[in-house]
């Protein structure tokens, strides 16, 4: 029996279980995953580590300790996980087939560990690699061991000064490794753990969002990515691939060996060993300052020869002939195929291609096209993939796909295909409308669940951030179209110039053009909606956006389209493009505005919303957070000051403990309440 919410509200969204991607064991019959929930009745969080049996569909508990994290497989029936304590980070394990009352302790590390990976070795032992904050001397950093300073002053001689939501210190991420052995029926850590990056100026994972996908393990070493320490980390994206051979996981490391990739000099991501460990595939971008450049797929056929690097779909301009940007890599069981994820038209698809370049004759073709693929893993040595996916009505879907015959078997759905939330796929639709560059643009849309074709509904017009990003057929706990649809809006989420998944030219065209083609595309989207969607009450439209979407809300205010909206919501937006050098990742404004502020002032000024504040008149809710170091809180204060001085109905919402995103459940509930109350007040919708 499906328990269905009477209405999909913010409280339902935020308290619903959040299930991770599933990770199968090597045998392919059990799947490891986590589930967390938040209760607004008890104001507390629950967290579970669970196992799903693919034989009978049953699920059972491994741990419900809220401090447990980073679960990984040790064997086909044993799981290890971290738990923080006043002693550091403790590594535990649990037999999932015959669980004991309490997990067994393997080792305590005097530091803060995360992003773990394991690798079963031919000896029967297990290699363990994990990330840890590390001191300049190469030791594990543990805050409790630090002597408190008598001063709070911070002194900097180079960049970064701060990153995302944290002021930088001299400590950096490093990879630590060791070997686990089972003795007398118990897992232990052999000898010591070692810092792979000791004595060198490399950091991995790459901040602020790097994790276990920044490295991989084979029998004889570790491949990892790290930013180039010889150039300004804040101004360039150059991230290189390294391989460190190891005699064993119980001995100290040698010197990392860099992998050279010619004119491809941008970000490097997702090093992934073949199943036999002999080859390595990875992704790299061309440009040294463009975080949204297209990923190209590369392979090292023989890991013992790092000089031989092959690029898939090469082109004379080194930009690659496949006009999609892969984001993850999986090798088939026989190592003859690569299965990658890549965006296309508001979805993340699975694509397949030969692993040998000599057999690559055509561009990849999709083998799975439904929603957003969050993760794909092989089941044992078969041709079957275990897929974790999401959509606009589905928060977590597990299924299997045979990548040879494309047979799909549904395993489980967290929300019973949306029924738990009172949502259905029939609410979802999409439009293609004429864009400003002479080709059609795409938008994902949503009706209310009680949609009546004989009624009219106000428009909720959502503009995404990035700006090189896209609205996806995906689930979100921050910007969920269904939340607005269930308030009684027809929701339209356009993907204008600058969006990803429609070819790199569409993405790149936003550079030096922030308020140009993207704005024109959005005007055309609005005009199309007015003409072609008869159920939209266009006179009661509202607009909402965050980050670059917030920039566009301010650009709307100063330009004609802004007058068409009853109300606007601007979350962590840009007030002045000429203040973009207060951000932390300086490569972003340098790329998007064609250079430095002093060399390209005219471009920064051309697209500056603050120069059009004399035209502002639409009621606006401003949201900005103190820990947002990407866009300083001063941006939000400036907006609110202008609105108040011009006597425009306005409100400011500020969270001192949130960054560019609002993540804490109680804060998120307030965010949703304020946003919904604001748009409903001016559109005439009853909450």
């Amino acid at each position: 029996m499906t328990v269905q919410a009477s209405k999909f509200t913010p409280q339902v969204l935020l308290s619903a279980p959040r299930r991770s991607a599933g990770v199968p064991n090597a045998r392919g019959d059990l799947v490891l995953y986590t589930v967390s929930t938040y209760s607004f009745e008890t104001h507390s969080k629950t967290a579970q580590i669970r196992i799903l049996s693919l034989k009978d569909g049953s699920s059972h508990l491994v741990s419900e300790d809220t401090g447990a994290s980073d679960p990984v497989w040790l064997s086909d029936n044993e799981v290890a996980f971290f738990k923080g304590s006043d002693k550091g980070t403790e590594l535990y394990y649990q037999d999932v087939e015959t669980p004991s009352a309490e997990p067994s302790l393997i080792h305590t590390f005097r530091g803060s560990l995360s992003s773990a990976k394991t690798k079963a070795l031919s000896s029967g032992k297990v290699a363990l690699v994990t990330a840890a904050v590390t001191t300049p001397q190469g030791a594990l950093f543990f805050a409790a061991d630090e002597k408190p300073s008598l001063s709070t002053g911070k002194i900097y001689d180079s960049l970064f000064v701060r990153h995302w939501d944290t002021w930088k210190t001299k400590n950096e991420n490093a990879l630590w490794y060791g070997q686990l052995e089972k003795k007398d029926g118990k897992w232990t850590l052999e000898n010591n753990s070692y810092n792979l990056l000791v004595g060198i100026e490399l950091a991995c994972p790459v901040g602020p969002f790097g994790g276990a996908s920044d490295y991989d393990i084979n029998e004889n070493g570790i491949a990892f990515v790290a930013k180039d320490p010889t150039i300004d980390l804040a101004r360039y994206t150059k991230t290189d691939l390294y391989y460190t051979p190891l005699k064993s996981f119980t001995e100290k490391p040698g010197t990392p060996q860099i992998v050279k990739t010619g004119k491809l000099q941008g970000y490097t991501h997702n090093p992934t060993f073949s199943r036999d460990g002999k080859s390595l595939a990875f992704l790299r971008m061309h440009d040294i300052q463009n975080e949204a450049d297209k990923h190209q797929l590369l392979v090292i056929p023989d890991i013992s020869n790092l000089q031989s690097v092959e690029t898939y779909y090469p082109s004379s301009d080194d930009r690659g002939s496949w006009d999609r940007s892969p984001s993850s890599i999986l090798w088939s069981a026989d190592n003859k195929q690569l299965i990658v994820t890549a965006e296309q038209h508001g979805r993340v698809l699975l694509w397949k291609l030969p692993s040998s370049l000599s057999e690559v004759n055509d561009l990849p073709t999709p083998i799975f096209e439904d929603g957003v693929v969050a993760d794909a893993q092989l089941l044992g040595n078969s041709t079957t993939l275990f897929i974790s996916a999401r959509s606009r009505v589905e928060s977590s879907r597990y299924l299997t796909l045979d990548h040879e015959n494309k047979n799909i078997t549904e395993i489980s759905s967290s929300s019973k295909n949306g029924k738990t939330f009172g949502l259905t796929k029939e609410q979802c639709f999409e439009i293609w409308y004429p864009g400003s560059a002479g080709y059609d643009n795409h938008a994902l849309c949503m009706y209310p669940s009680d949609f009546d074709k004989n009624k009219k509904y106000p428009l909720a017009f959502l503009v995404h951030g990035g700006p090189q990003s896209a609205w996806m057929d995906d689930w979100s706990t921050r910007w969920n179209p269904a939340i607005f649809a269930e308030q009684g809006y027809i929701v339209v989420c356009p993907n204008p110039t600058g969006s990803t998944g429609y070819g790199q030219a569409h993405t790149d065209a936003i550079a030096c053009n922030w308020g140009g083609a993207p704005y024109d595309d959005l005007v055309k989207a609005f005009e199309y909606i007015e003409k072609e969607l008869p159920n939209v009450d266009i006179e009661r439209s509202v607009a909402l956006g965050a980050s670059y979407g917030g920039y566009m809300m301010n650009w709307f205010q100063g330009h004609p389209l802004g007058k068409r909206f009853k109300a606007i919501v601007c979350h962590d937006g840009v007030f002045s493009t000429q203040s973009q050098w207060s951000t932390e990742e300086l490569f972003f404004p340098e790329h998007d505005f064609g250079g430095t502020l002093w060399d390209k002032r005219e471009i920064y000024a051309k697209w500056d919303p603050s120069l059009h504040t004399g035209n502002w008149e639409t009621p606006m809710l401003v949201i900005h957070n103190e820990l947002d170091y990407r866009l300083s809180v001063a941006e939000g204060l400036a907006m609110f000051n202008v609105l108040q001085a011009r006597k425009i109905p306005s409100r400011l919402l500020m969270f001192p403990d949130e960054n560019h995103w609002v993540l804490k459940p109680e804060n998120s509930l307030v965010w949703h309440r304020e946003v919904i109350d604001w748009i409903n007040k001016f559109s005439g919708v009853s909450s």
Side-chain angles (χ1 to χ4, degrees):
M1 178 179 176
T2 300
V3 178
Q4 181 172 322
S6 58
K7 184 176 181 180
F8 185 57
T9 65
Q11 189 158 330
V12 171
L13 168 69
L14 298 171
S15 58
R18 303 185 189 189
R19 187 169 71 170
S20 72
V23 180
N25 60 0
R27 197 168 53 207
D29 60 342
L30 299 175
V31 175
L32 173 65
Y33 67 99
T34 64
V35 181
S36 66
T37 60
Y38 186 83
S39 168
F40 288 101
E41 286 73 36
T42 62
H43 306 289
S44 61
K45 177 185 175 181
T46 64
Q48 297 182 340
I49 299 172
R50 301 191 66 88
I51 296 294
L52 172 67
S53 169
L54 295 181
K55 292 180 179 178
D56 59 16
S58 63
S59 172
H60 65 266
L61 184 69
V62 174
S63 170
E64 52 184 349
D65 189 330
T66 56
S69 66
D70 289 88
V72 291
W73 287 105
L74 280 182
S75 67
D76 278 324
N77 62 304
E78 292 166 304
V79 169
F81 55 86
F82 289 141
K83 181 182 176 182
S85 74
D86 57 3
K87 298 177 183 178
T89 301
E90 296 170 335
L91 178 63
Y92 288 92
Y93 76 95
Q94 179 78 279
D95 189 312
V96 300
E97 293 181 339
T98 55
S100 56
E102 295 293 332
S104 301
L105 179 67
I106 299 176
H107 191 78
T108 300
F109 300 88
R110 194 70 176 175
S112 179
L113 276 59
S114 64
S115 304
K117 272 188 179 178
T118 52
K119 166 73 176 176
L121 303 175
S122 56
S123 62
K125 300 176 183 181
V126 173
L128 170 70
V129 182
T130 178
V133 178
T134 303
T135 69
Q137 293 74 38
L140 288 173
F141 171 79
F142 190 50
D145 293 338
E146 296 297 295
K147 294 180 180 179
S149 174
L150 299 177
S151 169
T152 58
K154 301 179 187 294
I155 301 170
Y156 296 90
D157 297 305
S158 63
L159 299 175
F160 290 101
V161 169
R162 55 188 192 177
H163 206 180
W164 188 242
D165 58 6
T166 305
W167 288 86
K168 292 289 287 183
T169 70
K170 293 182 179 179
N171 302 317
E172 289 287 357
N173 290 334
L175 295 176
W176 290 72
Y177 66 91
Q179 186 166 280
L180 303 176
E181 179 184 22
K182 202 167 191 180
K183 286 185 177 180
D184 302 323
K186 294 183 178 180
W187 285 100
T188 61
L189 177 69
E190 284 192 274
N191 300 332
N192 297 310
S193 57
Y194 296 99
N195 178 358
L196 186 74
L197 308 181
V198 66
I200 53 179
E201 290 188 73
L202 300 177
C204 182
V206 177
F209 303 119
S213 63
D214 278 0
Y215 70 91
D216 204 12
I217 316 166
N218 73 352
E219 182 92 11
N220 302 303
I222 300 171
F224 66 94
V225 300
K227 291 199 78 171
D228 185 343
T230 66
I231 60 178
D232 194 325
L233 300 179
R235 295 186 63 192
Y236 299 96
T237 59
K238 186 172 185 286
T239 309
D240 294 308
L241 174 66
Y242 297 85
Y243 178 63
T244 302
L246 298 172
K247 293 180 180 179
S248 79
F249 286 86
T250 60
E251 297 184 37
K252 292 182 178 180
T255 302
Q257 302 171 11
I258 192 169
V259 176
K260 296 184 178 181
T261 57
K263 293 182 179 180
L264 301 186
Q265 294 287 299
Y267 271 130
T268 302
H269 290 126
N270 295 88
T272 307
F273 279 108
S274 57
R275 301 271 284 188
D276 59 14
K278 296 178 180 179
S279 304
L280 182 75
F282 62 102
L283 307 173
R284 186 143 203 187
M285 297 179 180
H286 179 279
D287 292 347
I288 201 169
Q289 284 190 312
N290 182 4
E291 66 175 359
D293 197 10
K294 179 176 67 178
H295 276 130
Q296 296 187 55
L297 179 63
L298 299 93
V299 68
I300 303 171
D302 181 356
I303 195 64
S304 66
N305 181 13
L306 299 182
Q307 286 70 45
S308 176
V309 181
E310 299 177 348
T311 304
Y312 290 80
Y313 309 110
S315 62
S316 58
D317 62 358
D318 295 303
R319 300 284 172 172
S321 59
W322 185 33
D323 204 13
R324 293 294 177 262
S325 183
S327 52
S328 68
I329 306 167
L330 179 69
W331 292 76
S332 63
D334 60 7
N335 300 307
K336 293 182 179 180
Q337 303 285 333
L338 291 177
I339 297 158
V340 301
T341 56
E343 282 185 45
Q344 179 166 277
H345 302 169
R347 290 165 176 83
V348 175
L349 313 185
L350 277 179
W351 312 70
K352 189 167 78 166
L353 64 155
S355 61
S356 172
L357 265 72
S358 63
E359 299 178 18
V360 175
N361 299 313
D362 302 305
L363 294 176
T365 55
I367 59 172
F368 184 79
E369 305 179 63
D370 190 4
V372 164
V373 174
D375 190 57
Q377 303 282 340
L378 270 178
L379 290 180
N381 292 316
S382 71
T383 58
T384 302
L385 306 176
F386 183 86
I387 296 174
S388 302
R390 302 184 297 263
S391 74
R392 278 169 283 174
V393 300
E394 177 52 75
S395 58
S396 173
R397 175 189 176 201
Y398 290 165
L399 63 138
T400 60
L401 167 74
D402 188 310
H403 67 78
E404 290 293 340
N405 60 31
K406 299 183 182 179
N407 286 340
I408 292 173
T409 303
E410 298 290 340
I411 303 298
S412 74
S413 164
S414 282
S415 65
K416 311 301 180 188
N417 300 311
K419 292 180 181 179
T420 303
F421 301 129
L423 304 174
T424 66
K425 287 186 176 181
E426 286 68 36
Q427 292 176 248
C428 302
F429 68 105
E430 45 203 276
I431 58 175
W432 289 86
Y433 60 92
S436 63
Y439 58 87
D440 285 353
N441 283 194
H442 185 218
L444 300 174
C445 312
M446 206 160 186
Y447 292 123
S449 58
D450 59 356
F451 175 73
D452 183 340
K453 64 181 180 180
N454 297 312
K455 294 182 179 180
K456 283 184 173 287
Y457 301 84
L459 169 68
F461 196 68
L462 274 57
V463 181
H464 67 68
Q468 296 92 345
S469 179
W471 291 115
M472 309 290 286
D473 185 17
D474 198 1
W475 190 258
S476 172
T477 54
R478 293 187 293 113
W479 287 92
N480 192 311
I483 284 292
F484 303 102
E486 294 308 276
Q487 288 293 313
Y489 294 88
I490 292 178
V491 184
V492 177
C493 305
N495 284 329
T497 296
S499 301
T500 52
Y502 302 88
Q504 196 61 31
H506 186 69
T507 304
D508 290 344
I510 197 172
C512 304
N513 196 19
W514 268 34
Y519 173 77
D520 294 339
D521 289 341
L522 294 169
V523 170
K524 286 183 172 292
F526 192 87
E527 292 171 346
Y528 179 91
I529 294 163
E530 184 175 22
K531 181 181 178 182
E532 302 293 340
L533 298 186
N535 293 105
V536 170
D537 184 349
I538 205 73
E539 299 305 321
R540 293 198 291 148
S541 299
V542 296
L544 307 91
S547 195
Y548 173 80
Y551 162 88
M552 190 54 72
M553 297 303 104
N554 292 330
W555 195 253
F556 282 177
Q557 282 278 28
H559 292 80
L561 185 56
K563 311 294 186 290
R564 300 298 307 273
F565 298 107
K566 289 292 186 183
I568 290 174
V569 176
C570 177
H571 172 102
D572 286 11
V574 176
F575 175 71
S576 173
T577 49
Q578 296 182 78
S579 64
Q580 285 297 283
W581 275 63
S582 64
T583 193
E584 10 83 275
E585 292 185 344
L586 294 174
F587 51 76
F588 176 71
E590 283 201 64
H591 171 266
D592 271 33
F593 296 98
T596 63
L597 186 61
W598 51 95
D599 286 333
K600 297 291 183 177
R601 169 74 72 170
E602 69 281 4
I603 296 178
Y604 286 82
K606 182 177 182 179
W607 306 120
D608 190 340
S610 72
L611 300 183
H612 304 276
T613 49
N615 298 328
W616 288 25
E617 62 180 49
T618 304
M620 187 157 83
L621 170 63
V622 177
I623 306 169
H624 224 106
N625 303 324
E626 284 271 22
L627 297 182
D628 186 354
Y629 299 158
R630 186 130 302 173
L631 291 170
S632 163
V633 70
E635 298 286 295
L637 294 173
M639 295 174 218
F640 189 62
N641 290 346
V642 168
L643 292 160
Q644 289 283 299
R646 290 181 57 78
K647 309 295 185 186
I648 300 170
S650 50
R651 173 171 286 184
L652 173 67
L653 172 61
M654 191 280 293
F655 294 103
D657 55 347
E658 299 282 6
N659 54 39
H660 202 52
W661 305 326
V662 176
L663 302 176
K664 297 179 179 179
E666 300 286 352
N667 287 345
S668 185
L669 187 61
V670 171
W671 184 96
H672 279 88
R673 183 188 68 211
E674 292 295 326
V675 168
I676 289 169
D677 286 353
W678 186 260
I679 61 175
N680 288 356
K681 173 183 177 181
F682 291 96
S683 68
V685 169
S686 299
S687 297

